[in-house]
Amino acid sequence: MATEMESLLEMLRSGQKADKPVDWELVRKEWVQAIDDLYAQVKDWLKPAIQDGLVQVQEEGLTITEDDLGEYDTHALRITTPAGRLVNFVPKYRLVYGGLGRVDMESGAAKQVLMRKQPGEWDILLQQVPRREERLTEESFARLLKAVLA
Amino acid sequence: MTEFPSLSDLFAEYEFLCRALVVAGIEARDNPTRVELKVADDVEQRFSAARQELDHAFTLTLVASVEAAVRWHYEDSLDLGKPSWFAVPANALHKRLEDRPPRFEDILDLWKMTPDARRDKDIGRAIGKLKQLYKRRHWLAHGRYWNDHSGFLTADPYAVMNVADELRDAIPEFPIH
């Protein structure tokens, strides 16, 4: 069992950590990398469709400004079908309560919020009221894209 | 819908309208003339613009709903004198303004005096976010004729709900109706 002194030291140490200023440059870099990783995953899932010429995928530059993070450059990802249907992945912001960033999947009137819950883990926000979420996987992504392109 | 709908009621309505718009967009792709678009019109782009307008409208509505609940609580605490940590500075503000209604931002500053807020800098950050959303609401409500300086250009109904969740968790007594 920890003594009172050990407990005091632990408290002071955690207080020290909490008071450390956030390295926003690092947060920004990590977020931009997370977006790139998401796109790499999406492209990997779509590899057969890309190879068969059923979809085209391209990235477009995008500048975002956020409190604390300032202005930074990232990309939107555009998926196009031969019939001219478009689906865009658009990063919204890194600083979000209950998550580590938000990217929207947009097509016409449809908009699907993807929330980054942990590094490498994204959830699809299916409904806000009442809240329903689903982990973004190859299966759920295919289902989502199918619904958006229906 | 009741006369004083809750934030959740309003958001459920927003989600319903989004779904309806998506269905209308699918219909319009096959038959553009049904929504008075010419065949050659870019249906996707037109519906994307419609969604953007729906998002703007509901961003305004949801922030207005939060404002209404916060003002309601302010009036209530003046009448009831509680909770005292809020009612005392609220009364001082009321007297200073000589019965004129306070600015929303001034009421929000009273919330920073909650005993928790003094401890927790996250509460200050959440209140700051709400102030940004209020500026965004102001920009939307006044016809968007100036450049939006809210600092929250990506604000949409989901962002409003996210800030509301943050406030609710940071200050359990925060009056989000």
Side-chain angles (χ1 to χ4, degrees):
Chain A
M1 193 189 286
T3 64
E4 282 301 318
M5 183 49 73
E6 282 167 345
S7 160
L8 171 69
L9 286 172
E10 184 52 41
M11 191 185 86
L12 292 171
R13 278 189 203 109
S14 58
Q16 223 173 23
K17 272 184 218 159
D19 290 343
K20 252 188 180 174
V22 178
D23 185 345
W24 292 113
E25 177 64 29
L26 195 69
V27 173
R28 191 164 56 223
K29 277 186 182 160
E30 195 264 346
W31 169 229
V32 170
Q33 184 60 51
I35 295 165
D36 289 345
D37 292 346
L38 172 69
Y39 294 166
Q41 179 65 84
V42 166
K43 282 190 242 177
D44 191 49
W45 286 335
L46 288 174
K47 213 176 201 170
I50 295 168
Q51 281 168 349
D52 290 352
L54 299 173
V55 292
Q56 275 191 345
V57 177
Q58 53 189 140
E59 290 185 16
E60 276 180 20
L62 182 72
T63 302
I64 297 178
T65 306
E66 277 189 75
D67 281 354
D68 298 321
L69 291 187
E71 195 176 278
Y72 58 95
D73 292 326
T74 179
H75 295 93
L77 184 79
R78 171 174 284 207
I79 301 170
T80 321
T81 70
R85 302 292 312 283
L86 291 178
V87 179
N88 287 311
F89 283 76
V90 186
K92 294 292 172 179
Y93 37 74
R94 160 63 180 77
L95 302 175
V96 58
Y97 181 65
L100 298 173
R102 173 181 156 190
V103 171
D104 286 1
M105 200 173 151
E106 301 173 348
S107 180
K111 177 154 95 175
Q112 202 72 57
V113 172
L114 305 179
M115 197 69 90
R116 182 171 168 244
K117 290 292 178 153
Q118 309 253 0
E121 258 184 39
W122 293 81
D123 278 359
I124 306 165
L125 179 59
L126 297 172
Q127 191 175 284
Q128 172 86 29
V129 180
R131 201 172 178 90
R132 284 197 299 121
E133 292 169 323
E134 184 180 17
R135 181 62 34 85
L136 183 71
T137 62
E138 187 172 6
E139 279 296 302
S140 61
F141 171 70
R143 206 164 36 243
L144 191 60
L145 197 57
K146 222 167 113 184
V148 167
L149 294 174
Chain B
M1 184 97 52
T2 60
E3 278 187 23
F4 188 11
S6 72
L7 203 60
S8 295
D9 288 340
L10 290 167
F11 200 90
E13 192 67 13
Y14 164 70
E15 287 192 312
F16 173 78
L17 289 171
C18 289
R19 284 193 291 272
L21 198 59
V22 168
V23 171
I26 293 168
E27 292 269 325
R29 275 206 303 270
D30 295 334
N31 195 355
T33 52
R34 279 188 69 184
V35 284
E36 296 184 11
L37 289 172
K38 290 177 190 145
V39 178
D41 281 341
D42 189 342
V43 172
E44 295 288 307
Q45 208 173 6
R46 184 65 193 80
F47 273 82
S48 171
R51 171 64 185 256
Q52 178 73 37
E53 287 307 313
L54 184 65
D55 283 3
H56 281 335
F58 268 85
T59 300
L60 196 161
T61 298
L62 291 165
V63 178
S65 164
V66 174
E67 182 186 3
V70 168
R71 286 192 180 278
W72 182 282
H73 171 275
Y74 170 82
E75 296 289 335
D76 230 27
S77 74
L78 288 180
D79 291 345
L80 302 173
K82 58 186 183 180
S84 61
W85 66 262
F86 185 88
V88 171
N91 262 300
L93 176 65
H94 181 69
K95 277 184 192 143
R96 201 166 64 239
L97 292 171
E98 296 170 344
D99 281 351
R100 279 175 285 123
R103 296 184 324 139
F104 183 52
E105 295 93 324
D106 293 335
I107 304 178
L108 291 180
D109 284 337
L110 299 179
W111 279 96
K112 288 185 182 168
M113 293 174 193
T114 169
D116 284 338
R118 274 185 231 119
R119 269 206 325 258
D120 193 347
K121 60 184 176 191
D122 289 344
I123 293 177
R125 186 188 291 267
I127 296 272
K129 278 274 176 203
L130 182 53
K131 284 186 179 179
Q132 285 185 309
L133 284 174
Y134 190 62
K135 280 188 188 163
R136 178 82 176 172
R137 185 219 76 97
H138 201 54
W139 175 76
L140 290 166
H142 292 272
R144 307 176 225 167
Y145 74 90
W146 64 84
N147 289 331
D148 176 12
H149 296 300
S150 67
F152 204 165
L153 304 186
T154 49
D156 68 355
Y158 290 98
V160 179
M161 295 304 273
N162 191 258
V163 170
D165 282 347
E166 185 170 4
L167 283 164
R168 230 184 247 124
D169 285 354
I171 319 172
E173 62 272 51
F174 194 80
I176 291 176
H177 172 60

